[in-house]
Amino acid sequence: TDRFDPAASDCRWQERWSQADCFRADSASNKPKSYVLEMFPYPSGRIHMGHVRNYTMGDVLARFRRAQGFEVLHPMGWDAFGMPAENAAMEKKVHPGDWTRQNIATMRTQLKRLGFALDWSRELATCESDYYGHEQALFLDLLEAGLVFRRESEVNWDPVDMTVLANEQVIDGRGWRSGALVERRKLNQWFLKITDFADELLEGLETLDQWPDKVRLMQENWIGKSRGMQFRFKRPEGGEIEVFTTRPDTIFGASFVAISPDHPIAAALAAERQDVADFITRAKQGGTTAAEIETAEKLGFDTGLKVTHPLDPDWSLPVWIANFVLMDYGTGALFGVPGHDARDFEFATKYDLPITRVVAATAEDAGAPLEAAETIAGVAVNSRFLDGMTTDDAKAEVIRRAEAGGWGKGTTQYRLRDWGVSRQRYWGTPIPIIHCEGCGAVPVPKDQLPVVLPEDVSFDIPGNPLDRHPTWNRVDCPRCGRPARRETDTLDTFVDSSWYFIRFASQPEAKPFDRAEAEAWLPVGQYIGGVEHAILHLLYARFWTRALERIGKLGVKEPFKGLFTQGMVTHETYRGPDGWLSPEEAASAREAGLPVENGRVEKMSKSKKNVVDPDSIIARYGADAVRWFMLSDSPPERDLEWSIGGIEGAARFVQRVWRLATAPVVSEGSDGALVRKLHRAVAGVGSAIEGLQFNKAVAALYELTSAIEKASPSADRSNAIRILVLLVAPMAPHLAEEAWAALGEQGMVVDQPWPAHDPALLVDDEVTIAVQVNGKLKATLMAPRGAAREDLQAMALAADKVAALVGSGAPRKVIVVPDRLVNIVL
Ligand code: ANZ
Ligand code: ZN
């Protein structure tokens, strides 16, 4: 046929690949192994263009590696637990399990339509007990190793809905559904000891040289290792308040001491004084995230207590209770330096506390006024014996004095907190613990795993349905046999995604993974996903891997050798008088004479109505055109703007390749220039894919295609077409198979090796040689690259002009620089 018909071709090849089981990864294979992984999707309903771009990139690499002779593991699964399923249950009255599994079915079909080279035999969904049961076993292993603990910790409590809220459900300090002011409440919760690994996780970043620098920096900042100091302020009436600071150099700029509303001293005062108790209640309203506490209005209460400055017995400072001081950071108390800390500045301005400059750019600026907190380093001023020292020297000096005087010591502090994994939610992995009045928190014996989520739950009233389940949470204590209660908290879904890549590599039924098999594949060679996961997911996965390594379950320290974060898919937006319009609505509104504004090009989102649904595009243009467009126009780390022009260009390219592949095959005649272009394309496309520069691979293929189109029929040209088909295969695999068959070739493209190139043909084969006589340019000549010195000398002497100058006598000397120049000295 004269046109490539994706509608027929796409399913034909998808079926053939599936029948031949091409993409099944054989763990026992002797070939070198390559593990290519894209971040698995949350089954939210339908695949979006961002998924298409992400998975296409991984697929190109996976297919390329396969052609290079690797045994490739390229799996797919579903990050299937989480809140949206519960929201759907509440709003649409569908069971979270039904909603999730339905979405998975839809999205799986959509992915299959794109022809990804995935090993579907390894598909997993984290919401199924054959996955999360193993997660429960691993949780118990970590518990046994002392890497899991339980303690009281604050949650967001919605007093109207009477439910715990996730941080994302707190908007401007209010419950997202009820709109009520959120309170902080203490609950017993489970934690993973990620702080035990803070140094390891930090040092490990240095080994990750195939990660983007920005992601490593984000992780480094998140771990937040800093030198600081802990020291005590004495209370004249006895007792002391210990504070933590990262800026000991500012100690003479102190204007108050502030303690957390949860500080024991605050609690003791509240027990005696109603005004203190009332303040604490007020201070604890609002969300629990650090960001929310940071941005909430600063609230303070002057307790009337005083403390003495450690370096000046005559200097007395007031003690305040302040809402921005966290109890679980440092010591839960600080000394405020309004001149050089933004929160302290805001606080001191509000409550009229002294603001002194103790750091300046130079010693001469000691008297410069402070318009706002100046937080950068400089030299100490107005600081007695520290005056003139740099910030770093002053820090060291204060720590030295504190240690010598016995009132404080230098510390290493991390911003990283232990990972709270308890969620008061239904749709998650049940924490395998049983609470017994006599025995405490008892692990569920491993032979009783999985602890399966009950299906019969209702979402009619707020709160966790597991708590009010009539039977599920009542069990006998595994230790003493008396009636006990199941833990009804479930695990943070980040736990599910912290080890799925290990389970992909090895899926025995009886345990989470087989160590040797997992190690055969790990670490993941190339991981591809959104930069929004730069911190939490990637840090948790690194931690989980190291924890398993520490307890001897896995001999891998870093899970992801290479990391690539791809850009988003964007699209233009339109606004009408009543809000956002889809492109179609915008067009008809314009026709109707209504005012329509062009908005910015933004990430595709439902709220902006600029989403393009992959299904309709695939139906119209075919999988290959969509894949091709996703890789074209922009470097993969940048945003890609969706456009009709772009997808149509991609569809035209598919037809161009098809036309070449269906032209008559010629078996005679050579075309050296085309052969060289071909070899250059083979090398260029390969190294571009290797470097994940997919747009460059695409550009090289456009160039080759044009060159072939321009060349006259010859055996070389027919061969170039054959190779072109192999080169486009990772990007446009259906087209490639169909073209391969049309060319009369045997077997499938997926089974063909990546074409070889001859390095000798990559360079221009002719070079220009300058011929000089006594240092002056007299002629130029073309010579084969790499020609021998004697040959160049002979050619130069034979050149007309030169021969005339040299005459019959022999030159005194001939200097030859190969590939460049011949100088004849007379
Ligand atoms: C005096 C000072 C002077 C501070 C100055 C900063 C600047 P990072 O760097 O984020 O680790 N702090 C100490 N404990 C706190 C707590 N429990 N809740 C809230 N803030 C606390 O923050 C360390 C700084 O945060 C510490 O250094 C302390 O204020 C404050 F010019 O001490 B600083
Ligand atoms: Zn018991």
Side-chain angles (χ1 to χ4, degrees):
T1 51
D2 51 351
R3 283 191 73 74
F4 175 65
D5 175 18
S9 187
D10 287 3
C11 0
R12 172 159 53 240
W13 295 104
Q14 286 158 20
E15 230 149 76
R16 290 280 301 276
W17 295 326
S18 151
Q19 271 159 15
D21 212 5
C22 297
F23 308 122
R24 181 187 290 271
D26 178 6
S27 299
S29 162
N30 292 327
K31 293 189 204 166
K33 297 204 167 55
S34 174
Y35 189 171
V36 178
L37 182 66
E38 301 94 53
M39 292 179 184
F40 68 162
Y42 177 75
S44 55
R46 301 180 64 74
I47 293 291
H48 57 65
M49 280 296 173
H51 291 127
V52 177
R53 193 174 185 211
N54 186 194
Y55 301 138
T56 300
M57 289 179 190
D59 199 56
V60 170
L61 185 65
R63 286 176 177 271
F64 174 65
R65 287 269 179 268
R66 206 164 171 278
Q68 284 181 310
F70 287 91
E71 184 70 26
V72 174
L73 172 54
H74 185 217
M76 181 54 69
W78 311 96
D79 190 10
F81 273 139
M83 276 193 337
E86 285 188 51
N87 297 341
M90 285 183 269
E91 278 156 22
K92 303 187 190 125
K93 309 270 174 238
V94 285
H95 191 280
D98 295 341
W99 183 84
T100 305
R101 292 182 187 107
Q102 182 54 54
N103 289 346
I104 289 176
T106 306
M107 291 169 76
R108 184 195 297 117
T109 307
Q110 289 186 292
L111 287 183
K112 290 198 169 177
R113 244 172 241 157
L114 283 154
F116 294 135
L118 292 162
D119 180 354
W120 285 103
S121 75
R122 294 180 188 238
E123 178 183 5
L124 58 81
T126 58
C127 66
E128 305 302 347
S129 61
D130 60 3
Y131 181 82
Y132 69 69
H134 295 300
E135 184 166 305
Q136 292 168 336
L138 292 174
F139 178 88
L140 294 178
D141 289 337
L142 296 186
L143 178 68
E144 203 179 323
L147 294 174
V148 177
F149 65 97
R150 190 164 182 250
R151 76 162 150 79
E152 272 212 321
S153 154
E154 284 186 333
V155 292
N156 303 299
W157 176 257
D158 185 322
V160 171
D161 273 353
M162 306 276 281
T163 188
V164 175
L165 299 178
N167 284 334
E168 316 81 80
Q169 295 174 312
V170 182
I171 293 152
D172 297 331
R174 292 173 182 275
W176 66 320
R177 218 175 263 281
S178 70
L181 272 181
V182 169
E183 292 168 8
R184 287 180 241 158
R185 273 225 178 160
K186 289 210 156 157
L187 286 184
N188 262 313
Q189 308 208 59
W190 293 97
F191 287 83
L192 298 186
K193 265 200 194 162
I194 190 171
T195 56
D196 259 28
F197 294 76
D199 256 323
E200 264 189 51
L201 289 167
L202 191 62
E203 278 160 24
L205 290 174
E206 281 164 35
T207 66
L208 299 175
D209 53 0
Q210 293 176 41
W211 279 39
D213 287 340
K214 66 167 187 240
V215 175
R216 291 195 295 178
L217 187 65
M218 283 158 90
Q219 294 223 345
E220 186 181 326
N221 290 338
W222 187 263
I223 295 168
K225 181 176 184 170
S226 62
R227 274 290 283 168
M229 173 172 131
Q230 224 157 284
F231 70 93
R232 298 175 295 277
F233 282 96
K234 284 209 158 51
R235 291 171 61 185
E237 64 271 32
E240 31 191 39
I241 297 178
E242 179 147 47
V243 296
F244 164 69
T245 179
T246 47
R247 295 294 304 272
D249 61 298
T250 63
I251 195 163
F252 291 110
S255 77
F256 60 92
V257 165
I259 61 175
S260 163
D262 293 309
H263 196 280
I265 293 178
L269 286 175
E272 287 164 14
R273 289 168 49 181
Q274 192 53 44
D275 54 346
V276 177
D278 290 345
F279 172 77
I280 290 174
T281 311
R282 205 151 58 85
K284 285 169 104 167
Q285 277 167 355
T288 61
T289 62
E292 264 166 328
I293 291 170
E294 198 99 332
T295 52
E297 194 199 342
K298 306 278 172 290
L299 296 176
F301 184 92
D302 185 356
T303 62
L305 302 180
K306 302 274 185 242
V307 291
T308 308
H309 196 284
L311 288 165
D312 184 346
D314 300 326
W315 186 348
S316 158
L317 294 149
V319 178
W320 287 66
I321 303 171
N323 65 341
F324 66 89
V325 186
L326 310 168
M327 192 56 220
D328 59 1
Y329 191 56
T331 61
L334 54 82
F335 69 96
V337 182
H340 305 283
D341 179 278
R343 293 164 302 179
D344 298 349
F345 189 91
E346 193 186 331
F347 192 78
T349 309
K350 180 167 177 188
Y351 294 109
D352 208 13
L353 293 156
I355 302 178
T356 329
R357 174 187 288 281
V358 288
V359 183
T362 68
E364 288 75 57
D365 301 322
L370 279 161
E371 306 295 342
E374 291 182 11
T375 56
I376 51 171
V379 298
V381 294
N382 307 319
S383 294
R384 307 187 191 184
F385 56 83
L386 298 175
D387 280 357
M389 287 186 198
T390 64
T391 297
D392 278 344
D393 289 348
K395 279 184 188 175
E397 176 59 16
V398 174
I399 292 173
R400 193 190 63 74
R401 289 199 186 220
E403 289 179 349
W407 48 271
K409 60 176 193 326
T411 57
T412 303
Q413 196 75 18
Y414 297 88
R415 169 167 294 135
L416 185 67
R417 297 284 85 113
D418 275 326
W419 175 12
V421 291
S422 285
R423 296 291 179 274
Q424 294 71 32
R425 302 263 142 222
Y426 164 71
W427 195 233
T429 299
I431 296 178
I433 296 286
I434 291 164
H435 297 286
C436 165
E437 265 182 29
C439 313
V442 180
V444 173
K446 278 212 180 152
D447 60 7
Q448 291 172 28
L449 295 181
V451 176
V452 178
L453 272 181
E455 290 280 323
D456 52 333
V457 286
S458 82
F459 292 88
D460 302 341
I461 41 175
N464 179 354
L466 294 177
D467 277 335
R468 50 173 192 266
H469 194 281
T471 52
W472 182 80
N473 49 38
R474 292 190 201 144
V475 281
D476 291 340
C477 170
R479 207 163 279 166
C480 70
R482 275 196 285 261
R485 213 183 125 75
R486 257 190 214 296
E487 170 69 66
T488 55
D489 283 356
T490 51
L491 289 172
D492 180 2
T493 57
F494 273 120
V495 174
D496 310 335
S497 52
S498 288
W499 72 285
Y500 78 106
F501 47 88
I502 309 176
R503 180 76 187 164
F504 269 149
S506 169
Q507 325 195 309
E509 217 172 288
K511 53 182 177 175
F513 53 88
D514 172 76
R515 179 174 172 157
E517 190 186 18
E519 286 171 5
W521 292 108
L522 289 167
V524 173
Q526 186 62 56
Y527 197 30
I528 308 179
V531 74
E532 66 275 15
H533 294 297
I535 301 178
L536 294 181
H537 162 57
L538 289 169
L539 193 67
Y540 291 149
R542 293 181 61 220
F543 156 66
W544 201 267
T545 305
R546 279 174 187 270
L548 293 175
E549 196 255 355
R550 190 181 287 185
I551 65 175
K553 298 243 165 223
L554 187 67
V556 177
K557 280 191 194 291
E558 288 291 342
F560 313 119
K561 189 166 191 293
L563 172 71
F564 187 81
T565 54
Q566 92 277 2
M568 297 181 300
V569 182
T570 61
H571 191 24
E572 55 197 357
T573 55
Y574 298 98
R575 273 188 92 96
D578 306 318
W580 299 103
L581 301 174
S582 69
E584 299 75 40
E585 288 169 340
S588 40
R590 279 204 174 117
E591 262 167 44
L594 294 169
V596 175
E597 252 179 71
N598 283 24
R600 282 192 311 180
V601 174
E602 293 193 57
K603 177 182 179 176
M604 286 186 180
S605 75
K606 283 197 190 117
S607 62
K608 301 268 162 65
K609 290 206 178 180
N610 65 341
V611 173
V612 176
D613 183 51
D615 270 5
S616 59
I617 300 292
I618 297 169
R620 170 126 188 238
Y621 297 96
D624 291 332
V626 180
R627 295 168 58 112
W628 186 261
F629 177 38
M630 287 291 115
L631 304 164
S632 309
D633 295 7
S634 297
E637 65 279 10
R638 302 253 191 85
D639 290 353
L640 171 73
E641 186 183 344
W642 176 267
S643 71
I644 287 295
I647 182 70
E648 290 193 333
R652 273 196 303 275
F653 177 77
V654 166
Q655 297 300 343
R656 280 168 68 190
V657 174
W658 178 246
R659 265 196 304 278
L660 290 177
T662 47
V665 173
V666 176
S667 57
E668 262 149 45
S670 64
D671 184 340
L674 183 63
V675 169
R676 259 191 309 284
K677 282 179 186 147
L678 174 68
H679 282 251
R680 238 179 274 173
V682 171
V685 172
S687 67
I689 296 177
E690 188 79 51
L692 307 178
Q693 298 173 307
F694 304 109
N695 58 320
K696 290 200 177 157
V698 163
L701 285 164
Y702 271 121
E703 211 179 302
L704 177 63
T705 304
S706 301
I708 297 175
E709 284 167 342
K710 280 185 207 127
S712 334
S714 68
D716 281 344
R717 182 177 184 266
S718 288
N719 183 54
I721 293 170
R722 203 180 133 268
I723 305 286
L724 171 68
V725 167
L726 297 176
L727 296 183
V728 300
M731 293 84 166
H734 311 86
L735 165 71
E737 295 291 3
E738 201 69 50
W740 194 249
L743 286 167
E745 297 287 344
Q746 295 300 303
M748 286 195 284
V749 171
V750 278
D751 295 322
Q752 304 306 312
W754 190 250
H757 66 265
D758 179 355
L761 291 176
L762 298 187
V763 285
D764 280 326
D765 59 341
E766 289 207 314
V767 286
T768 311
I769 307 283
V771 182
Q772 299 176 338
V773 175
N774 289 341
K776 292 211 181 77
L777 183 68
K778 293 295 171 194
T780 57
L781 48 90
M782 300 303 290
R785 180 180 288 278
R789 284 165 186 278
E790 309 79 68
D791 294 346
L792 290 175
Q793 178 170 337
M795 285 169 76
L797 290 169
D800 288 348
K801 258 194 174 170
V802 180
L805 283 165
V806 175
S808 55
R812 264 204 307 163
K813 198 171 161 197
V814 180
I815 302 156
V816 180
V817 183
D819 291 341
R820 290 192 40 208
L821 151 151
V822 179
N823 186 15
I824 297 157
V825 185
L826 297 176

